[in-house]
């Protein structure tokens, strides 16, 4: 079993891609350790960085909640700023 399940680019960019299920809450991040604050990562949809007022973050479980919810199947890239 590999130690990292993402792509090489995600590893070196410290990023993860999650796919919206149509619900407001995105699948949980798997960074280790999880970011403690929203200021420790950027969120991109379609290559555009989202304004932080369009989502909230729960540091205890790594879940980003979008407002409004994204369409089912929308890819979201989360890039850590601090490692």
């Amino acid at each position: 079993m590999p130690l990292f399940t993402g792509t090489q680019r995600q590893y070196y960019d410290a990023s993860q891609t999650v796919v919206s299920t149509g619900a407001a809450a995105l699948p949980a991040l798997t960074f280790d350790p999880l970011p403690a604050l929203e200021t420790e990562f950027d969120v991109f949809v379609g290559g555009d960085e989202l304004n932080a007022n369009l989502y909230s973050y729960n540091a205890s479980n790594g879940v980003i909640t979008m407002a409004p919810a994204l369409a089912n199947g929308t890819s979201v890239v989360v890039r850590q700023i601090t490692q």
Side-chain angles (χ1 to χ4, degrees):
M1 178 174 196
L3 296 174
F4 182 75
T5 58
T7 66
Q8 289 178 352
R9 181 177 180 154
Q10 290 172 329
Y11 176 79
Y12 290 107
D13 287 348
S15 67
Q16 292 179 5
T17 300
V18 294
V19 179
S20 172
T21 61
L26 297 174
L29 299 176
T30 58
F31 291 118
D32 187 19
L34 285 171
L37 304 168
E38 289 180 13
T39 57
E40 295 179 2
F41 60 87
D42 294 321
V43 177
F44 298 86
V45 175
D48 295 325
E49 184 175 357
L50 293 184
N51 189 311
N53 66 356
L54 296 176
Y55 60 88
S56 61
Y57 174 66
N58 183 333
S60 65
N61 62 10
V63 172
I64 296 172
T65 302
M66 306 300 294
L70 298 174
N72 185 28
T74 302
S75 291
V76 178
V77 176
V78 180
R79 185 180 66 209
Q80 273 188 305
I81 297 169
T82 58
Q83 297 182 31

